[in-house]
Amino acid sequence: MSTILEFQNVSKHYRVRQQDVAALHDIDLTVEAGEIFGIIGQSGAGKSTLIRLVNLLERPNAGRILVDGQDVTQLDELGLRTLRRGVGMIFQHFNLLSSRTVAQNVAFPLRIAGLWSEDEIRSRVAALLDRVGLSEHASKYPAQLSGGQKQRVGIARALATQPRILLCDEATSALDPQTTQSVLRLLDEINQELNLTIVLITHEMNVIRTLCDRVAVLDEGRVVESGEVVDVFLHPGHPVSRRFVFESEDVDEELLQTAFEHVDGRLIRLTFRGDTTYEPLLGRVMREHELDFSILSGRIDRIKNTPYGQLLLGLNGEHISEALDHFRHAGLTVEELR
Ligand SMILES: Nc1ncnc2c1ncn2[C@@H]1O[C@H](COP(=O)(O)OP(=O)(O)O)[C@@H](O)[C@H]1O
Ligand SMILES: [Mg+2]
């Protein structure tokens, strides 16, 4: 893996009526070529600011931002134009030109760049529209399209100059859940086909869970947690991350608390990942170590390509610690909550 994007000690504030409004503090992040990197945070956390620094739509007040090892803040006019061709962007509200057709919208960045002939532009636009499934809509106007189709135009337009990085700013937040899934699937496909690096910001953990390899949690302008999505999702270490995970899973913390109070014995959370998810381990361990158990909550699903299961158990019996060792040996994560 090679690093394609790096934030080093980046800070940003806005000047509003003679006052500094802090947006980002001391951000350090590294994105590897070819990965899908998610940034999650509440509204106002600084996500859009962070992503807009990459193609210098905003300038940092401190720190360095390296794209392919080059500090973008040092680029001259020409360098900046080259950078922007190499970094595509899509937006929550699509930002299409309403007076131009679908094909003209996709052709727009190519015309601006002035590097391609009309013939080249035409064939490239046709290929892009085909890729995003909109060939039949080439001469329609944005107002004639659904939200999902508009975002597909946005994606085609962002890919027109063959960028190596695609920035997505809440790209599915205006879409219904089903359309969201189909847009996420398209992003996943182009990530793999083109080895395109994607940096995606969202306030929805389910978007992160479906698409991303790694994630950083942003809160009040600071990265409070980052890592593999599987790790952050199954074992969120920061209260803000925990809230995002619980929200997406509809976990009712009060109900859990009630369950805790009504069950005696030990409380254990077991996490299965990958192949162990499908093994009939629970019954075997309970029998072998003569334990009684009750399941207080559970979820079995997948995170991108990794199946997982997580169970909250109340346990009673003489040989609990042997049973927990048994689980650990089998590759499960065991958390002793009580
Ligand atoms: N152009 C701007 N001028 C002044 N303050 C801004 C500007 N853009 C963002 N901010 C402020 O910076 C903080 C981070 O905003 P933003 O990056 O848009 O967060 P997010 O995308 O996570 O909602 C907020 O406090 C916001 O009000
Ligand atoms: Mg934003």
Side-chain angles (χ1 to χ4, degrees):
M1 282 255 204
S2 63
T3 298
I4 191 164
L5 170 62
E6 195 169 354
F7 292 81
Q8 294 178 343
N9 263 298
V10 171
S11 293
K12 169 73 185 172
H13 53 254
Y14 293 101
R15 193 105 187 125
V16 182
R17 280 180 244 106
Q18 271 97 56
Q19 298 245 315
D20 281 343
V21 179
L24 296 171
H25 312 266
D26 279 336
I27 302 288
D28 284 301
L29 280 179
T30 305
V31 177
E32 305 296 332
E35 77 173 327
I36 306 186
F37 193 95
I39 297 164
I40 188 167
Q42 289 168 303
S43 171
K47 305 181 297 295
S48 294
T49 302
L50 185 66
I51 217 168
R52 290 164 62 84
L53 292 169
V54 177
N55 49 12
L56 233 58
L57 295 176
E58 299 286 353
R59 272 188 180 269
N61 298 100
R64 306 203 311 157
I65 296 147
L66 308 178
V67 173
D68 266 332
Q70 187 168 39
D71 184 354
V72 298
T73 62
Q74 303 298 315
L75 293 173
D76 58 13
E77 206 36 48
L78 182 66
L80 193 55
R81 256 184 285 158
T82 311
L83 170 77
R84 286 186 179 152
R85 278 200 302 277
V87 181
M89 193 160 179
I90 59 175
F91 307 88
Q92 178 173 3
H93 297 295
F94 324 119
N95 297 18
L96 303 178
L97 298 165
S98 58
S99 62
R100 313 226 178 173
T101 65
V102 166
Q104 287 167 343
N105 267 281
V106 177
F108 193 71
L110 297 171
R111 296 231 157 82
I112 296 224
L115 298 172
W116 294 278
S117 72
E118 273 306 307
D119 271 355
E120 285 170 311
I121 291 177
R122 216 170 355 226
S123 73
R124 200 179 279 200
V125 168
L128 286 161
L129 288 180
D130 184 44
R131 182 61 198 86
V132 300
L134 288 180
S135 298
E136 283 154 38
H137 304 280
S139 44
K140 285 192 180 163
Y141 288 88
Q144 297 170 286
L145 304 177
S146 70
Q149 289 170 330
K150 284 183 201 166
Q151 194 56 288
R152 285 168 187 270
V153 179
I155 292 169
R157 179 183 57 183
L159 296 179
T161 54
Q162 298 181 320
R164 297 191 54 218
I165 303 177
L166 178 65
L167 308 175
C168 310
D169 189 345
E170 300 274 6
T172 56
S173 298
L175 305 176
D176 62 67
Q178 215 172 338
T179 312
T180 292
Q181 286 307 314
S182 83
V183 168
L184 295 180
R185 221 163 19 243
L186 175 63
L187 290 173
D188 192 37
E189 287 163 11
I190 58 181
N191 160 256
Q192 292 181 35
E193 280 166 30
L194 308 173
N195 196 32
L196 178 77
T197 307
I198 297 181
V199 181
L200 170 155
I201 64 183
T202 179
H203 64 280
E204 292 172 294
M205 198 64 188
N206 278 326
V207 170
I208 301 281
R209 188 176 69 127
T210 307
L211 192 63
C212 297
D213 301 301
R214 290 194 303 146
V215 62
V217 182
L218 197 64
D219 187 52
E220 295 182 355
R222 295 175 200 277
V223 174
V224 295
E225 183 162 5
S226 68
E228 302 279 333
V229 172
V230 180
D231 292 325
V232 174
F233 194 82
L234 292 176
H235 305 288
H238 191 276
V240 172
S241 327
R242 207 149 36 229
R243 206 166 58 231
F244 279 118
V245 172
F246 281 9
E247 249 170 41
S248 78
E249 297 279 286
D250 267 337
V251 174
D252 184 334
E253 283 184 85
E254 256 175 61
L255 252 178
L256 270 186
Q257 202 54 47
T258 314
F260 282 20
E261 284 156 15
H262 282 80
V263 168
D264 58 352
R266 301 284 301 280
L267 273 179
I268 307 295
R269 181 160 45 225
L270 286 183
T271 307
F272 310 72
R273 270 190 211 193
D275 292 341
T276 59
T277 308
Y278 305 124
E279 281 175 30
L281 202 62
L282 185 59
R284 191 184 307 149
V285 171
M286 293 298 137
R287 269 197 311 278
E288 215 165 282
H289 301 280
E290 296 172 351
L291 301 185
D292 283 329
F293 68 98
S294 47
I295 299 176
L296 303 178
S297 77
R299 47 182 180 156
I300 294 163
D301 209 331
R302 57 179 49 236
I303 298 167
K304 200 164 182 181
N305 303 314
T306 309
Y308 72 90
Q310 200 162 49
L311 295 177
L312 184 63
L313 299 178
L315 293 183
N316 280 293
E318 304 266 305
H319 308 291
I320 291 180
S321 64
E322 289 89 335
L324 298 186
D325 283 343
H326 194 153
F327 284 129
R328 290 192 182 97
H329 275 292
L332 275 58
T333 306
V334 177
E335 291 163 282
E336 304 183 46
L337 307 182
R338 184 176 76 194

